[in-house]
Amino acid sequence: MWYAIEGHDGTDVLPLRLASRPAHLARLTDLRDEGRLLLAGPCPAIDAEDPGPAGFSGSIVIAEFDSLEDAKAWADADPYVAAGVYARVDVRPFRKVLP
């Protein structure tokens, strides 16, 4: 089943985000290579493709896992969690309808 994982950035965490980004992307690349990643990306903190020093308000990942518990465990092991980038992470089932 698909699960939506939404990480919400804390305050002034852009340096932490940038430092842990390679490890974060490596895990997403693994999901992609396994055919389990629907989409992933950051949410700019301002209305701009590149928010610069404004940074990001969080990230969204939609990926396939065997269970909600597996999705939560994967989210809990994210390098952004370990680095203190995310102040909160929400994980919930997602049903793809379109496209």
Side-chain angles (χ1 to χ4, degrees):
M1 182 167 179
W2 295 106
Y3 293 90
I5 301 168
E6 187 171 8
H8 303 269
D9 283 21
T11 304
D12 297 324
V13 295
L14 185 58
L16 300 174
R17 178 182 267 273
L18 295 175
S20 52
R21 187 170 189 261
H24 172 78
L25 290 179
R27 296 179 79 233
L28 293 170
T29 299
D30 289 344
L31 283 179
R32 182 203 62 199
D33 293 350
E34 294 167 6
R36 299 172 43 209
L37 182 64
L38 183 62
L39 65 86
C43 301
I46 60 173
D47 189 13
E49 183 72 23
D50 178 359
F56 300 89
S57 62
S59 303
I60 297 172
V61 174
I62 300 179
E64 189 173 33
F65 294 93
D66 290 333
S67 68
L68 179 59
E69 293 76 24
D70 287 349
K72 286 181 178 181
W74 186 90
D76 288 344
D78 193 287
Y80 284 173
V81 172
V85 173
Y86 293 152
R88 184 178 99 239
V89 177
D90 298 322
V91 181
R92 57 191 176 270
F94 177 82
R95 193 177 112 193
K96 182 182 177 211
V97 174
L98 293 172

